[in-house]
Amino acid sequence: MAGADCVFCKIVQGQIPAEIVWQSPWAIAFLDINPANPGHVLLVLREHYATVDTIPPALFGSALQELPRLADAVMRATGAEGLNVVLNNGKVAGQVIDHVHFHLIPRRSGDSVTIRWEPGTYRDSAEVTSTAERIRAALSTGGQ
Ligand code: AMP
Ligand code: ZN
């Protein structure tokens, strides 16, 4: 179902234009209107899900199966030496459009794109263990 006033739903439905480079029954890919580098592509699920944690796993698998081929094509077409695949999930993580999408950003050495964070550390080994344990417990109870 389409999200109310969702820009990406409108692109999927052909209501607003986009430079589409690839389509499947589950997903489409088009040029980002404000690219980090030329050839910056957005891979977008056709169906409206706001965040990745709400997508049915089977649909996610279908939609993403072309990601390797798309990444290869973007790199070859732009002559990029590398590529960042980025998914901003939630406002605090930088998500602006609430419709799940992957950024494929072609990279060249010396370009001006910055995708980085300061490497952190755990307080001690107990924090490592308890953090991993909380995630394992969340995987085995509730959620998807
Ligand atoms: P995010 O911050 O991960 O939600 O990224 C949203 C991305 O969508 C940004 O990089 C925008 O430049 C891009 N964007 C917004 N509107 C359009 C549009 N109409 N066509 C193509 N890309 C868009
Ligand atoms: Zn949408």
Side-chain angles (χ1 to χ4, degrees):
M1 205 166 103
D5 294 326
C6 173
V7 174
F8 288 174
C9 282
K10 290 193 169 117
I11 290 175
V12 167
Q13 290 159 4
Q15 291 170 3
I16 62 173
E19 197 63 57
I20 295 171
V21 297
W22 172 82
Q23 317 203 33
S24 82
W26 305 281
I28 70 170
F30 50 86
L31 295 185
D32 193 296
I33 204 167
N34 293 128
N37 268 335
H40 178 168
V41 161
L42 300 175
L43 174 60
V44 175
L45 269 68
R46 283 186 183 275
E47 222 174 312
H48 182 93
Y49 288 94
T51 55
V52 72
D53 43 282
T54 62
I55 300 172
L59 171 63
F60 192 70
S62 301
L64 277 193
Q65 60 189 343
E66 291 292 327
L67 178 60
R69 201 164 76 90
L70 194 54
D72 174 60
V74 168
M75 297 228 308
R76 283 190 293 114
T78 60
E81 301 153 35
L83 183 95
N84 287 107
V85 178
V86 176
L87 186 149
N88 298 323
N89 202 58
K91 195 173 178 177
V92 72
Q95 185 177 13
V96 173
I97 307 270
D98 287 335
H99 179 135
V100 169
H101 55 281
F102 287 85
H103 296 258
L104 280 73
I105 302 173
R107 300 298 306 274
R108 283 178 172 283
S109 58
D111 69 19
S112 60
V113 178
T114 49
I115 300 170
R116 55 178 307 160
W117 53 87
E118 290 301 318
T121 52
Y122 287 98
R123 270 193 312 275
D124 49 32
S125 63
E127 190 185 17
V128 175
T129 312
S130 66
T131 302
E133 189 46 48
R134 279 202 302 279
I135 295 170
R136 285 190 285 266
L139 281 165
S140 63
T141 60
Q144 296 223 28

